[in-house]
Amino acid sequence: MSACDLGNGLRVIDLTKQLDPETESRRCHLFRFNTGGPIPDFHTIMDLTSHLGTHVECPYHHNDSWTDVQGLPISTFMGRAIYVDINHMEANGKIMAEDLEKACGDRIRENDIVILDSPYKIPPFTPLTNTPEDKRLVIGRETALWLKEKKVKCVGFGDGVSIESNNTDVSAFHDVLMEVNVVFLEVLQNLEELSTDTFFMSYAPIPIKGLDSCPIRAYAIEGLGEFSK
């Protein structure tokens, strides 16, 4: 179950992709062993890629001189989130400043987390990518410049926005934002379970020095007053 009530008007939604090592296309291997001794003591060696499942991408992902996972403050990985479902554009359109202005209005504040989505949903990074069935909206330098101007701290993606459309647009989008320490959330799930477009969100990685990105458990909490407007 991806959503549950916490009481007192609070609701939590798990936005994380579930992983199964037997079916996952990216590197995901678990080696479980008993350390021995008088009681069972099981440990697991995890052999994972840093871009597995729902993960947060940090600036070090695109430049050796930019900030790695442990170099960012913990506040980078939580805060006020805005879900932006861009439903006025035609299929395969590139998201421009005017599109974001229309979809967001004046809702975006400095240090917000912005999740971009559209009705043209397909699972990302599958054989459907960049086929005639792929109608998702695409991002580029112009999208990034608008978000940079708004001084957001994180950009997340639903299944309605492509982050693998072409190298030129994807590279520019990453570089414009990561240069100013904006992080990315990829492969978010269960966004349809949200009952509001403004909520608290958390997605903290393991603070390992020299790590470019990290699988995380992303979740939204609805009903926290200071994060609901």
Side-chain angles (χ1 to χ4, degrees), residues 207-221:
I208 300 176
K209 187 174 182 178
L211 189 62
D212 64 288
S213 306
C214 188
I216 47 85
R217 188 75 177 259
Y219 61 89
I221 299 180

Side-chain angles (χ1 to χ4, degrees), residues 39-53:
I39 59 173
D41 184 19
F42 290 98
H43 292 204
T44 301
I45 297 170
M46 299 181 294
D47 179 22
L48 314 173
T49 177
S50 60
H51 293 253
L52 178 68

Side-chain angles (χ1 to χ4, degrees), residues 192-227:
E192 70 282 357
E193 296 283 350
L194 294 168
S195 62
T196 178
D197 60 12
T198 308
F199 46 88
F200 174 83
M201 188 173 182
S202 178
Y203 43 93
I206 304 170
I208 300 176
K209 187 174 182 178
L211 189 62
D212 64 288
S213 306
C214 188
I216 47 85
R217 188 75 177 259
Y219 61 89
I221 299 180
E222 299 177 338
L224 290 172
E226 60 268 43
F227 299 98

Side-chain angles (χ1 to χ4, degrees), residues 15-17 52-56 185-189 214-216 218:
L15 303 179
T16 315
K17 176 187 176 183
L52 178 68
T54 303
H55 59 278
V56 59
L185 281 172
E186 296 187 3
V187 201
L188 290 169
Q189 302 284 287
C214 188
I216 47 85

